[in-house]
Amino acid sequence: ARAVLGAATGAAPSTARAWVALKRIPSGTRAQRIAELSSISERLLRVMDPEYIPVWMNKPVPALDDRKPIELISGGEYLRVARIVSALEEPVAT
């Protein structure tokens, strides 16, 4: 969890540890990035195994121009990732 929080927000590992331990509270842009990460993660739970979510977030995704979702979220491109998740949520026509 700490590594994902750090990657999504650009926070140092010690800062992410403090957030997870509830010793510090993120604010500003970092709080926004955590909220976006949480939203994406909750949506991904509906379409993939929980164990695979960190893998998906950290691998190049062809539909994102081979960029990693976590990097896009970190860079403020949450909506780009959200559109891909929306496509995953669409029922497949049979």
Side-chain angles (χ1 to χ4, degrees), residues 1-26:
R2 292 184 306 254
V4 173
L5 286 176
T9 63
S14 60
T15 300
R17 276 193 302 275
W19 291 339
V20 171
L22 302 176
K23 293 180 179 178
R24 291 177 65 188
I25 298 173

Side-chain angles (χ1 to χ4, degrees), residues 28-48:
T29 302
R30 288 180 170 175
Q32 180 179 340
R33 296 292 172 261
I34 291 171
E36 293 166 349
L37 177 63
S38 176
S39 175
I40 291 292
S41 296
E42 287 173 9
R43 291 175 62 191
L44 287 173
L45 282 170
R46 296 183 216 140
V47 296
M48 65 180 63

Side-chain angles (χ1 to χ4, degrees), residues 56-74:
W56 187 84
M57 293 292 287
N58 285 287
K59 74 175 201 161
V61 174
L64 295 171
D65 299 323
D66 288 320
R67 305 248 338 256
K68 297 175 184 179
I70 196 78
E71 291 174 351
L72 291 172
I73 291 170
S74 175

